[in-house]
Amino acid sequence: MAYLRFKALEILNSRKPIPAQLPSNSVSDFFNENVFDMEQMRATLSPSVFNKVSQAIIKGEKIDETTADAVAIAVKSWAISKGATHFTHWFQPLTGGTAEKHDSFFDGTTKIEKFKGSELVQQEPDASSFPSGGIRSTFEARGYTAWDPSSPMFLYGKTLCIPTIFVSYTGEPLDTKGPLFKALKAIDVAATKVCQLFDRDIQHVSASLGCEQEFFVVDKALYMARPDLVMAGRTVFGHSPARGQQLEDHYFGSIPSRIYEFLRDFEIEAWKLGIPVRTRHNEVAPSQFEVAPAFESVNVANDHNQLMMDLMQRVAERHDLRVLFHEKPFEGVNGSGKHNNWSLITDTGVNLFAPTSSARDNLMFLTFFVTTIKAVHEHADLLRASIATPGNDYRLGGAEAPPAIMSVFIGSQMTNVLNELESKGNVRIQKGDNMYMKLGIDHIPEIILDNTDRNRTSPFAFTGNKFEFRAVGSSDNCATPMTALNLIVADQLEALHSEVMASIEKGTEKRLAIVNVLRRYIKESRNIRFEGDGYSATWVKEARERGLSNIATMPEAIQAYLSEKSLSLFERHGVYTRKEVYARQEIKLENYIKRVQIEARVIGDLAMNHIIPTAIAYQSKLIENANGLKGLGIDNSAVINTIEQISKHIAIIKKNVSEMINERKRVNKITDTRQRAIEYSECIKARYFDVIRDSVDKLELLVDNEDWPLVKYRELLFLR
Ligand code: ADP
Ligand code: MG
């Protein structure tokens, strides 16, 4: 094993940067090159077909068969002219990641490549291996994928990829995109209704998303020499390097050239695929980076994020690197998140979270702003549940990550605005050179919005013209948190609208009716607002006093999906049926169990087969040395002490690994999935992982570096 480590380090030393080739000095020359985008469609489709397709994209209308056939012919020629041989329906199953089943254009029966509209619109993947939480087995054995025209088709390698949703024959979504569509529809409908209280011209509202993706990059050979990284995506052992994050300034002066070339290469490929990325350094952990594409509509942004994660791994391969998307690959080093920057934008081009100088728009802004906070307050547990993943359990509440307590940060200016509005129904003027916010209500003149007010410790923060949901984990598919967020806000907007309308009917002036509801919302949701340090222990205490939940583990957190409140919310908007919620719950719990199971096995195997034999061998050397010293009459107490410490840690490891194995056997017999998941969390993960790790990490410091079998943190993290 130590052989593997040193071999990997030797390979590392011989690595050279592989220069990225920019196809043209101007990015616009090749941006979207591999996308069948609007421009391509306009160029290749007849005006009437193009018109139908673009209407379908904008308004979500159905595409008829003749139109689909025409698109299929056009996209086929486009793809083949660019070297494509296959096409695939690209979808996002509940296991996470993306899936595809490739068919060739050439079917062997004729001399020409074929692709029919029906093949574009619908396919039946052999989906029996995708989880459905029992939906399919109970009802109908098959599922199908259906074209999503709102996300452009793209060429990936030699394959034309068609973004699709994956549904069962009885109509239940078997993926993450289906429910997202329903939530996006709900927010469109609800937000448009509310907008029309202010501006009758607004016909649609669409939610936007910009995800900041964090990740680590490690050398491939070092990665391969760490079975825990390969199997579990995170290191289960490893002592923090002496040179840790405290030296970040020094380290970040220059990006190691291998990684620089990789990131460049990745950017080029992403641009060709129409992903508007901008990579940059994350000022946090060594070897950690961030990519932040420009925001797009939620559905497209999320498809781009999923594609980007896959692409990054492919490009990394060319540079002998591996990308780690796990939320917490290294203990003692910051974890990775995927900040979801979210806003609502009208078809007239107004960002509903951006204060402006127009009085009318500012009451509209305040309405959306306050209603969002109220929604988070009402459904904080559901929002927490929506970001629960096995990996995020390791990240939330750790240093440099938001806690598992949901709260909203809005900054001191907006806090003042809300306080004034709540207490007096008006907003005070503040002078300065920043942006002005005017409100068109009597006594509510203008305020300044401080765009620079930042609090990086909040899980959900207002950042001037958008909300930033920071609790989302780096490996996650944003569809789930985006479904939850858009849905709860849609629901709250509906409630607000009904109340305002009822009040108007009773004769209240419209603006006053709105302000009255907002004032009440501000009061009712006060508890969820927190402006202080979310990383501090005092916040944990204060949050408890406020009655806010702090749910540390995924099996507990996702229970919120099953509350009557959540179930009726889903039903009200047709996002999930009860059956689907239970099915999804089952899949998530099974997945959680599997992940903890794998980690437990890796911990057991590495500890027993790699660490203990190494420690014993080293101990034997020390015993020899101690005996030699004794024979010479020299004091050997220091050596004896080390031998004793090694013995102690070996004993702790052996005892705990064997107990952990027995516990696993016991827990595996529990038939109730939820109970099994909870016991995996409490009786296996919480009880044994850290104890075993602690002794292994101590041994790392005791055993001769030359003998240590696992690639060390300093080697993994400080890539040259
Ligand atoms: P930060 O200071 O948090 O790094 P940036 O200005 O770099 O913020 O933006 C982070 C992300 O937010 C980017 O992906 C960006 O496209 C996105 N973003 C900016 N404005 C909006 C908006 N109105 N709606 C959604 N996302 C947005
Ligand atoms: Mg951010």
Side-chain angles (χ1 to χ4, degrees), residues 62-63 88-92 117-125 143-151 153 162-169 171 173-175 177-178 181 299 303:
K62 259 194 140 47
I63 288 180
T88 182
H89 274 201
W90 185 77
F91 60 102
Q92 297 164 26
S118 56
E119 291 173 297
L120 164 67
V121 173
Q122 190 169 317
Q123 287 275 298
E124 243 180 80
Y144 62 88
T145 50
W147 178 29
D148 162 19
S150 65
S151 183
M153 294 183 256
I162 303 157
T164 54
I165 59 166
F166 182 32
V167 287
S168 75
Y169 259 68
L174 296 171
D175 65 353
K177 202 187 250 243
F181 273 161
N299 178 40
D303 279 0

Side-chain angles (χ1 to χ4, degrees), residues 104-118:
S104 75
F105 287 118
F106 185 72
D107 69 0
T109 57
T110 53
K111 285 219 161 77
I112 47 164
E113 284 91 346
K114 285 197 258 180
F115 185 49
K116 294 194 290 288
S118 56

Side-chain angles (χ1 to χ4, degrees), residues 208-212 278 280 290-296 339-345 351 454 456 463 465-468 470:
S208 298
L209 169 67
C211 356
E212 298 165 72
R278 189 162 55 95
R280 58 185 174 196
E290 180 184 301
V291 170
F295 67 93
E296 301 174 284
H339 296 177
N340 278 209
N341 293 273
W342 172 82
S343 67
L344 295 173
I345 298 175
N351 175 354
R454 287 294 172 103
R456 304 219 166 255
T463 50
N465 61 355
K466 61 190 192 293
F467 280 96
E468 189 170 335
R470 301 205 182 101

Side-chain angles (χ1 to χ4, degrees), residues 15-30:
R15 300 261 203 233
K16 299 260 175 308
I18 299 164
Q21 304 292 340
L22 199 66
S24 153
N25 284 332
S26 164
V27 175
S28 59
D29 286 348
F30 61 93

Side-chain angles (χ1 to χ4, degrees), residues 155-427:
L155 200 64
Y156 199 35
K158 297 246 172 274
T159 304
L160 171 69
C161 294
I162 303 157
T164 54
I165 59 166
F166 182 32
V167 287
S168 75
Y169 259 68
T170 41
E172 290 94 352
L174 296 171
D175 65 353
T176 51
K177 202 187 250 243
L180 178 64
F181 273 161
K182 294 180 184 171
L184 293 173
K185 180 81 192 161
I187 194 94
D188 181 5
V189 170
T192 302
K193 251 194 235 177
V194 172
C195 282
Q196 289 199 348
L197 293 171
F198 304 92
D199 182 351
R200 291 247 146 227
D201 288 345
I202 295 171
Q203 297 297 317
H204 280 287
V205 174
S206 95
S208 298
L209 169 67
C211 356
E212 298 165 72
Q213 175 74 55
E214 291 180 327
F215 54 95
F216 282 84
V217 179
V218 297
D219 181 84
K220 189 180 161 194
L222 300 185
Y223 170 88
M224 297 305 283
R226 288 282 317 211
D228 46 359
L229 277 182
V230 175
M231 305 285 294
R234 64 180 273 263
T235 55
V236 297
F237 304 138
H239 205 277
S240 295
R243 175 182 160 187
Q245 284 168 219
Q246 61 272 25
L247 284 181
E248 62 195 34
D249 292 343
H250 176 251
Y251 178 76
F252 286 114
S254 68
I255 310 180
S257 46
R258 281 181 63 209
I259 299 190
Y260 174 79
E261 295 299 340
F262 154 60
L263 291 175
R264 282 296 283 164
D265 205 1
F266 154 72
E267 266 178 351
I268 293 164
E269 294 302 325
W271 287 330
K272 288 184 192 165
L273 284 163
I275 309 173
V277 296
R278 189 162 55 95
T279 56
R280 58 185 174 196
H281 243 197
N282 200 2
E283 324 84 58
V284 185
S287 288
Q288 192 187 36
F289 303 87
E290 180 184 301
V291 170
F295 67 93
E296 301 174 284
S297 73
V298 172
N299 178 40
V300 173
N302 188 46
D303 279 0
H304 276 164
N305 179 256
Q306 289 293 304
L307 177 59
M308 192 187 92
M309 288 167 77
D310 192 88
L311 176 68
M312 216 180 258
Q313 210 62 278
R314 281 198 197 191
V315 177
E317 186 69 30
R318 296 210 285 262
H319 295 261
D320 296 308
L321 296 167
R322 286 297 299 207
V323 179
L324 308 178
F325 288 113
H326 195 285
E327 282 76 8
K328 193 77 182 176
F330 304 103
E331 188 77 27
V333 175
N334 289 335
S336 302
K338 177 147 48 197
H339 296 177
N340 278 209
N341 293 273
W342 172 82
S343 67
L344 295 173
I345 298 175
T346 68
D347 56 352
T348 56
V350 176
N351 175 354
L352 294 167
F353 293 126
T356 64
S357 53
S358 131
R360 182 190 64 184
D361 288 352
N362 269 335
L363 182 56
M364 185 155 79
F365 155 74
L366 265 190
T367 303
F368 280 89
F369 182 75
V370 171
T371 306
T372 300
I373 298 169
K374 168 75 172 160
V376 175
H377 176 261
E378 286 302 301
H379 296 282
D381 287 349
L382 181 61
L383 214 50
R384 161 68 183 96
S386 77
I387 48 112
T389 61
N392 223 6
D393 277 7
Y394 288 104
R395 165 178 171 258
L396 295 175
E400 290 292 330
I405 309 161
M406 285 298 127
S407 68
V408 184
F409 168 88
I410 59 172
S412 57
Q413 294 283 352
M414 286 312 297
T415 300
N416 288 341
V417 173
L418 296 199
N419 286 346
E420 294 275 321
L421 191 56
E422 183 190 340
S423 59
K424 305 197 201 89
N426 70 20
V427 177

Side-chain angles (χ1 to χ4, degrees), residues 586 589-590 593 664-680:
E586 194 73 10
L589 292 170
E590 289 286 0
I593 292 166
R664 241 169 50 215
K665 285 183 188 149
R666 180 186 69 76
V667 174
N668 282 341
K669 292 202 191 85
I670 300 171
T671 44
D672 180 67
T673 318
R674 178 172 135 76
Q675 190 56 32
R676 194 161 72 248
I678 288 176
E679 297 208 19
Y680 253 101

